[in-house]
Amino acid sequence: MTKDDVLKALSTVQEPDLGKDIVTLNMVRDLTVEGNYVSFTIVLTTPACPLKELLKKNCIDAVQSINKNALVTVNFTSSTTTLRSDKGSVLPNVKNIIAVVSGKGGVGKSTVAANLALALSKGGAKVGLMDADIYGPSVPIMFGVRGERPMMIEVEGKGMIVPLERFGLKLMSIGLLVDEKNAVVWRGPMASSAIRQFVTDVYWDQLDYLVIDMPPGTGDIHLTLVQTVPVTGVVVVTTPQDVALADAKKGIAMFGQAQMNVPIIGLVENMSYFTPAELPQNKYYIFGKEGGKRLAAEYDIPFLGQIPLVQSIREGGDIGIPILMSDEDITKHAFLELAGNVARSVSMSNAHMKSEEIAEVVE
Amino acid sequence: MTKDDVLKALSTVQEPDLGKDIVTLNMVRDLTVEGNYVSFTIVLTTPACPLKELLKKNCIDAVQSINKNALVTVNFTSSTTTLRSDKGSVLPNVKNIIAVVSGKGGVGKSTVAANLALALSKGGAKVGLMDADIYGPSVPIMFGVRGERPMMIEVEGKGMIVPLERFGLKLMSIGLLVDEKNAVVWRGPMASSAIRQFVTDVYWDQLDYLVIDMPPGTGDIHLTLVQTVPVTGVVVVTTPQDVALADAKKGIAMFGQAQMNVPIIGLVENMSYFTPAELPQNKYYIFGKEGGKRLAAEYDIPFLGQIPLVQSIREGGDIGIPILMSDEDITKHAFLELAGNVARSVSMSNAHMKSEEIAEVVE
């Protein structure tokens, strides 16, 4: 059994998302063969890849198909892909910028953004969360950092804001920079100018993913953002309610416009059903069933997942710890699955696959 | 024991809402006294009055305080009060016109309007429900009358639309008059013109209450309505969510403006908590606790009630029968209580009491 034999065998293993074999994709590294001992490393396109176990099994099967006594060690590493080549411009060291948007308020956009960032980070990626919702910044309360004032450092002669760190995540919120009462009076051009400065003046350093919690709605501020920052794509959050879906359509339409033309990473259906923590087997579809899933199918965009609403009768609301850091397993699992699908969708988009092709793979 | 003795005794009985005694308010009629037998009729200001039993008990106690052997029969009738004197103008035979509004969509405004109308009707009042939500008429589906076409009659030389009747309620929806797909394209002046014509061209005949399900939001169309129709007052629907409360404030502010100046009958908090039908003792405050109640207190307006979200795992959503006609008792009870409070608030408003005075009585 030579290295070439093993590579030939491994070239029958498909990367399921990208639809090509792992040898062609240059994902196999550090291959060693000694007698029956085979060892190599697979370089994933994202540390949050949910397909590791499947790939591992397929690799072992492939090698053993040419030598049934082979003892195969599969290591994993990752190098998050990026489409960005503009290293000299805005946020030069951030590989992927994910804007989380919603057509209307009240659908849980900020909860999704925060827990998506945490879940990506748990998968091993370097992640930042930027709370740019100037009309209702929620990160300060959600992460218990209200009242903290971020430090400044000088980077190449320019004063920059240093993000806070919580739960392994880099964090910044417009709510940490301005007085809570002043934030809401920003309108139109002022809001756009504030957000532009806010995005460009934070020192994120090296990141695989920067998740931006955008203001709700579809307006000038969204246009400003995509003109200022090279956004990789948007994640649209909706609930299964008709009114929310109608506004989600507006959001999808807006980002698809020629002047914006930002890829849709996919749609998340939040508050898909209610489950009492005491009775996890009971699902109450209080806002209707699978409206978000149908919407994604209608627009040929990836459906990234359903997030249930879980509550115990023992607690009444916000406890100041993000769900992903709590001991509530149902929602946590949903967010981890969501993060996996977001990472997959971004990887596929970076590999120049089209939204409708990605939608067929992510289900 | 003479009639005068009995009247004197009854003049110690207060009408709790109006804060005056029932003799001064001219509510006692058909008084007869024969030996120990006393009989009279109390004329309530609304058939939906929730204070009947209390009044009855207080009347019997008052008469027995002057004659402990008195055998007292209290009958009830009602004559819904009105502030309207413009009998020759728009909707001349409708005593009270209640506009149900919400700052934003998705808070259950239409559900509240429909079940409020049904609950007022169950209390014995003559009630009409007008679905004026041109952006999303819901009465056709909620009452199972989709596709029905209303008849026309000639009234004083003018062609008028005859409302449908369901569950003892008169019904009309903009959704029954226009093609479903055309409704949504109405904008600005066209929408205002359509709603004006719609309101004035329906033959409601005699009504104690006309409940109007308004489009969500705060716009020109609302201004048009209060300029066209002598609206008695508005019922504002919100959920306990922060975003919904923020928009409810906008609605309250708008109707209080000088150019509108429509009394606020009160605020309803919808989706106050979730209760599984199988576990009615469990209350899950999924959108936060009592946000609507606090908002009403902050603005000194009557808090009309909390409507829970109840669902059984056996059913998935809209079953085409309004809650008040279903066998789901928790929500039904909440709506009956709401209707009682709306009727009380309207009666007090008709007796020239101010919003903050009414707010102190209705709690």
Side-chain angles (χ1 to χ4, degrees), chain A residues 49-70:
Chain A
C49 180
L51 303 168
K52 274 182 200 174
E53 289 310 309
L54 179 68
L55 271 175
K56 186 174 179 178
K57 184 181 172 300
N58 291 350
C59 286
I60 295 172
D61 287 351
V63 178
Q64 289 180 340
S65 75
I66 57 166
N67 174 356
K68 70 176 168 36
N69 297 317

Side-chain angles (χ1 to χ4, degrees), chain A residues 158-214:
Chain A
K158 192 184 163 204
M160 292 196 83
I161 304 159
V162 183
L164 305 179
E165 290 204 30
R166 284 294 178 283
F167 311 119
L169 204 63
K170 291 189 180 177
L171 282 184
M172 186 43 56
S173 169
I174 196 114
L176 295 173
L177 302 180
V178 295
D179 186 64
E180 281 184 23
K181 281 180 184 159
N182 288 338
V184 291
V185 300
W186 286 347
R187 285 284 176 272
M190 269 186 77
S192 289
S193 152
I195 214 163
R196 188 185 302 123
Q197 195 182 339
F198 175 52
V199 174
T200 53
D201 285 4
V202 177
Y203 183 66
W204 293 104
D205 203 6
Q206 309 275 343
L207 289 183
D208 292 314
Y209 303 101
L210 174 62
V211 176
I212 306 183
D213 182 4
M214 292 290 291

Side-chain angles (χ1 to χ4, degrees), chain B residues 112-148:
Chain B
V112 169
N115 287 286
L116 168 61
L118 283 165
L120 286 168
S121 164
K122 272 217 162 175
K126 286 184 206 158
V127 184
L129 171 64
M130 184 170 92
D131 173 13
D133 186 349
I134 55 165
Y135 302 118
S138 51
V139 155
I141 289 174
M142 245 195 292
F143 285 83
V145 295
R146 205 170 169 182
E148 289 196 24

Side-chain angles (χ1 to χ4, degrees), chain A residues 98-114 116 211-217 234-241 243-249 251-252 255 264-272 292 295 301-307 335 338 342:
Chain A
I98 301 170
V100 178
V101 304
S102 72
K104 63 176 229 146
V107 301
K109 172 183 57 57
S110 296
T111 304
V112 169
L116 168 61
V211 176
I212 306 183
D213 182 4
M214 292 290 291
V234 298
V235 169
V236 182
V237 183
T238 185
T239 68
Q241 279 181 297
V243 284
L245 294 169
D247 287 344
K249 286 183 188 178
I252 295 168
F255 285 100
I264 308 282
I265 296 168
L267 187 82
V268 184
E269 187 189 275
N270 194 27
M271 307 187 196
S272 293
L295 181 63
I301 58 178
F303 184 66
L304 301 168
Q306 295 184 312
I307 310 293
F335 275 119
L338 168 68
V342 168

Side-chain angles (χ1 to χ4, degrees), chain A residues 104-108 241 243 271 274 276-279 282-289 309 311-313 315-317, chain B residues 104-108 241 243 271 274 276-279 282-289 309 311-313 315-317:
Chain A
K104 63 176 229 146
V107 301
Q241 279 181 297
V243 284
M271 307 187 196
F274 175 78
E278 297 81 4
L279 291 165
N282 285 12
K283 295 182 178 184
Y284 300 90
Y285 293 87
I286 56 186
F287 295 128
K289 200 170 176 180
L309 194 54
Q311 203 179 78
S312 162
I313 47 166
E315 38 129 326
Chain B
K104 63 176 228 141
V107 299
Q241 277 181 298
V243 283
M271 307 186 197
F274 175 77
E278 297 83 2
L279 292 165
N282 285 13
K283 293 181 178 186
Y284 300 91
Y285 293 88
I286 54 183
F287 295 128
K289 201 170 177 181
L309 194 54
Q311 203 179 79
S312 164
I313 48 164
E315 38 130 324

Side-chain angles (χ1 to χ4, degrees), chain B residues 238 245 267 269 290-298 303 306 363:
Chain B
T238 184
L245 294 169
L267 187 81
E269 187 189 275
E290 303 198 333
K293 203 169 184 173
R294 282 195 302 276
L295 181 64
E298 185 187 332
F303 185 67
Q306 295 185 311
E363 269 179 70

